[in-house]
Amino acid sequence: DDRLALEVLALDSAQGTKLWGFTLFEYEGAPRIHKKNSHASPTPFFDGDRLFVHFGNLGTACLSSDGKVIWKKSFPYSPVHGSGSSPVVHGDLLLFSADGGKDPCLFALDKNTGEVRWKARRESAAKRKFSFCTPLVISYKGREQIISPASDYVFSYDLEGNQLWKS
């Protein structure tokens, strides 16, 4: 059928057996994506305590290590070929790119609640504004910054969402 079920599952790393799994998000009618993409292309992030899964504009969720849903939300944007940015946790922030066909941006959520802390727009003259990059947090000269590739540019932001530079 045309139903889309986005699932999460945990496997035993020694045996490969399924520990738990269930559907997080369901949709009537699967959105169009590129034939080389999947609705589950982004890689989940485990911070040692919680699992963060991101299906792009179709939903983002935080789960305990035993599979209990702590929060789940959707952050609408219009991807061009499906999603590809994986989420990253740094401190109490969950970061992911939302570089769709319009209004590309970087989201920072409170990892404990899923509430948006900030949303940094990516201003550029790129002909095509979509991309599929994962942010990276680095420390340079004692200052932490988020390095966030996008279409035609690489951006740097501080942890409050202020753009430091773009190149």
Side-chain angles (χ1 to χ4, degrees):
D1 62 20
D2 198 28
R3 187 178 68 90
L4 175 64
L6 300 171
E7 300 177 343
V8 62
L9 60 97
L11 304 175
D12 179 285
S13 61
Q15 304 296 318
T17 56
K18 183 177 172 181
L19 299 173
W20 52 262
F22 54 90
T23 299
L24 272 171
F25 301 98
E26 285 188 81
Y27 296 94
E28 290 298 325
R32 192 179 133 267
I33 60 172
H34 192 278
K35 66 182 178 183
K36 293 182 179 178
N37 200 358
S38 152
H39 292 292
S41 290
T43 303
F45 190 100
F46 182 63
D47 71 355
D49 181 42
R50 293 182 176 178
L51 178 67
F52 299 88
V53 295
H54 179 65
F55 297 102
N57 65 317
L58 300 175
T60 304
C62 172
L63 298 95
S64 64
S65 59
D66 60 355
K68 291 185 178 49
V69 175
I70 296 168
W71 57 261
K72 67 179 191 172
K73 300 187 177 204
S74 294
F75 301 93
Y77 64 96
S78 56
V80 176
H81 296 300
S83 298
S85 174
S86 298
V88 173
V89 171
H90 183 77
D92 62 351
L93 295 178
L94 176 69
L95 305 163
F96 62 85
S97 300
D99 291 332
K102 298 178 189 168
D103 302 319
C105 65
L106 176 69
F107 274 99
L109 310 182
D110 181 308
K111 78 171 192 175
N112 298 306
T113 66
E115 296 302 315
V116 175
R117 287 271 192 88
W118 50 262
K119 179 180 171 183
R121 297 208 177 278
R122 299 153 150 332
E123 300 297 327
S124 77
K127 183 176 180 179
R128 296 183 176 171
K129 301 212 184 287
F130 63 92
S131 67
F132 309 97
C133 298
T134 298
L136 172 70
V137 180
I138 66 166
S139 181
Y140 179 70
K141 294 186 177 181
R143 183 178 189 185
E144 291 181 312
Q145 59 183 295
I146 304 161
I147 305 299
S148 185
S151 187
D152 284 358
Y153 291 92
V154 174
F155 291 81
S156 171
Y157 302 94
D158 65 19
L159 296 179
E160 287 78 45
N162 301 304
Q163 183 178 307
L164 301 174
W165 53 262
K166 77 177 179 180
S167 178

